[in-house]
Amino acid sequence: MGLQIIKPDTHIDFIGFRKIAFIISAIVILAGIGSLLAKGGPKYGIDFAGGMIVQIKLDKATDVTDLKGAMKELNLPGLTVQTLGLEDDHEYMIRTSSSDISSQAVRDGIDRSLAANLKDRTFEIQRLEMVGPKVGADLRAKALEALFYAVLLIAVYISGRFEQRWTAAGIMAAALAGGIYGIGLTGLDMGWLIISALVLTLGLCWYLKLNYALGAVVALIHDVIITVGIFSILGKEFDLTIIAALLTIVGYSLNDTIIVFDRIRENNIAAKSGTYFGDTINKSVNQTLSRTLMTSITTLLVVFCLFVLGGGVIHDFALALLIGIVVGTYSSVFVASPILLGFGPGSHVGEGEVEAA
């Protein structure tokens, strides 16, 4: 027998906690949406909003406040300075949202300012990159498309994988393709287009009774919204590394949900007539709980090491993964499974009928 951190005969009533779980999820989601509305949307990084990144290396440690003060006379908009790499590397990342001046002018200005204000130090500009507003907008649109199509293809896969209804999955894919094309003709902004398409996906899953897909897609959207909301509350920037983290979270959460759904399907097939579907879900979640926790804890340990020791470049990426792994594990138990109960395929008998019997 493999390592078990949860006793095999555990009988936790997860379904019984579903209302509390829904309230917690609603509070966190509303807090995140409220933060996004109050701040006028996500805080985009240079990848999406345009600007410049300058990486410099000094011969000795320098406080970021002193470094920023040394460049004050340049009046670069949105100027931020952060350490990069390990402490002994003495490397720093300078960011500015300005893309109206040439990269050579910025390089010369930083050279002059640091030489004049940090005379006891030597420095070297190792990298200077500029992203224009048009390129940033294109990257933002493509990143949203990547997230949407990942969720869409997952919905089609789950429909065929768990319910063996490839025809219905094909109909949904065709309807979505037509719907997205039609919505695209209205000229909506890419963000609204993606939101409309996700609503259409959930509606088709519900109408075609693709219940496993509906539970999985809702859980994935739940995880992404909460992660984005917490990042907004913390004032973190969104750039390409965060989009990569969100796609990783989608994959991790889906893997966890599939394991739980697979056991639910097996137990539902083997269940006797008259069995309450909620009991089948509770039994399945308890059976997979030990594996779920061990996978999450070991993954969290690795990501936490990256968060603490990985340096400034991957700090926010690791933070997004930390949030996503916790939320993804929670959602597979407390979001996806209860939704499956509500729209479930195998509710042999209702809870009230069991109690009456």
Side-chain angles (χ1 to χ4, degrees):
M1 179 181 292
L3 176 64
Q4 295 278 342
I5 60 175
I6 302 294
K7 293 181 179 178
D9 58 348
T10 300
H11 298 288
I12 302 174
D13 183 13
F14 291 101
I15 291 299
F17 291 113
R18 65 185 184 279
K19 291 182 181 176
I20 297 174
F22 285 163
I23 291 172
I24 293 173
S25 291
I27 291 172
V28 178
I29 288 173
L30 289 175
I33 292 175
S35 173
L36 288 168
L37 292 175
K39 296 177 180 178
K43 182 181 177 183
Y44 292 120
I46 290 174
D47 290 345
F48 295 150
M52 289 188 202
I53 297 175
V54 184
Q55 181 178 338
I56 64 171
K57 181 177 178 63
L58 282 80
D59 62 333
K60 61 178 73 171
T62 304
D63 189 85
V64 292
T65 305
D66 296 337
L67 192 54
K68 189 174 180 179
M71 294 179 289
K72 186 178 179 181
E73 62 192 37
L74 294 176
N75 293 321
L76 294 173
L79 179 66
T80 61
V81 180
Q82 67 182 98
T83 57
L84 197 63
L86 300 177
E87 187 177 350
D88 294 337
D89 291 341
H90 306 155
E91 293 183 351
Y92 302 86
M93 181 78 79
I94 301 167
R95 297 169 185 264
T96 171
S97 57
S98 174
S99 55
D100 298 331
I101 54 178
S102 69
S103 56
Q104 187 60 48
V106 172
R107 178 187 291 271
D108 293 341
I110 291 176
D111 268 335
R112 284 196 307 273
S113 298
L114 296 186
N117 299 312
L118 298 176
K119 294 179 180 177
D120 60 334
R121 297 171 176 80
T122 59
F123 64 90
E124 176 190 6
I125 295 179
Q126 296 183 318
R127 177 165 64 107
L128 191 151
E129 295 178 0
M130 182 175 74
V131 178
K134 178 67 170 60
V135 175
D138 289 344
L139 287 174
R140 191 166 65 240
K142 290 185 183 302
L144 287 172
E145 281 186 78
L147 274 175
F148 168 68
Y149 282 112
V151 174
L152 171 61
L153 293 175
I154 285 168
V156 175
Y157 166 73
I158 294 287
S159 305
R161 168 76 170 76
F162 285 95
E163 303 179 71
Q164 300 299 310
R165 296 178 60 194
W166 290 105
T167 302
I171 292 172
M172 182 176 74
L176 276 172
I180 293 169
Y181 178 76
I183 296 171
L185 293 178
T186 64
L188 278 176
D189 177 76
M190 178 57 71
W192 287 109
L193 176 62
I194 299 299
I195 291 173
S196 303
L198 285 175
V199 172
L200 182 60
T201 303
L202 294 176
L204 284 169
C205 287
W206 173 78
Y207 182 75
L208 295 171
K209 299 189 184 305
L210 298 171
N211 304 303
Y212 284 99
L214 182 63
V217 170
V218 170
L220 295 180
I221 295 173
H222 166 277
D223 299 345
V224 171
I225 290 177
I226 286 184
T227 306
V228 170
I230 292 177
F231 254 59
S232 175
I233 292 171
L234 296 176
K236 297 290 185 181
E237 291 184 347
F238 289 84
D239 55 22
L240 286 174
T241 60
I242 303 306
I243 295 299
L246 292 177
L247 287 170
T248 306
I249 291 168
V250 167
Y252 181 88
S253 176
L254 177 67
N255 177 61
D256 211 31
T257 303
I258 282 178
I259 290 168
V260 176
F261 276 8
D262 213 21
R263 187 59 59 90
I264 291 173
R265 186 189 58 169
E266 291 174 2
N267 287 336
N268 190 49
I269 292 172
K272 296 178 182 177
S273 178
T275 302
Y276 173 48
F277 190 47
D279 292 337
T280 303
I281 292 176
N282 273 332
K283 178 182 176 182
S284 306
V285 175
N286 278 291
Q287 288 175 342
T288 56
L289 187 59
S290 184
R291 183 193 185 283
T292 298
L293 290 179
M294 283 194 291
T295 303
S296 298
I297 291 170
T298 51
T299 310
L300 278 172
L301 285 174
V302 174
V303 177
F304 184 74
C305 291
L306 290 175
F307 177 74
V308 175
L309 305 172
V313 173
I314 62 170
H315 185 271
D316 287 352
F317 174 79
L319 176 62
L321 288 183
L322 280 175
I323 298 169
I325 290 169
V326 173
V327 177
T329 304
Y330 161 86
S331 70
S332 63
V333 175
F334 291 106
V335 176
S337 299
I339 287 177
L340 193 59
L341 173 67
F343 299 92
S347 304
H348 297 298
V349 63
E351 187 175 12
E353 295 173 65
V354 172
E355 290 174 351

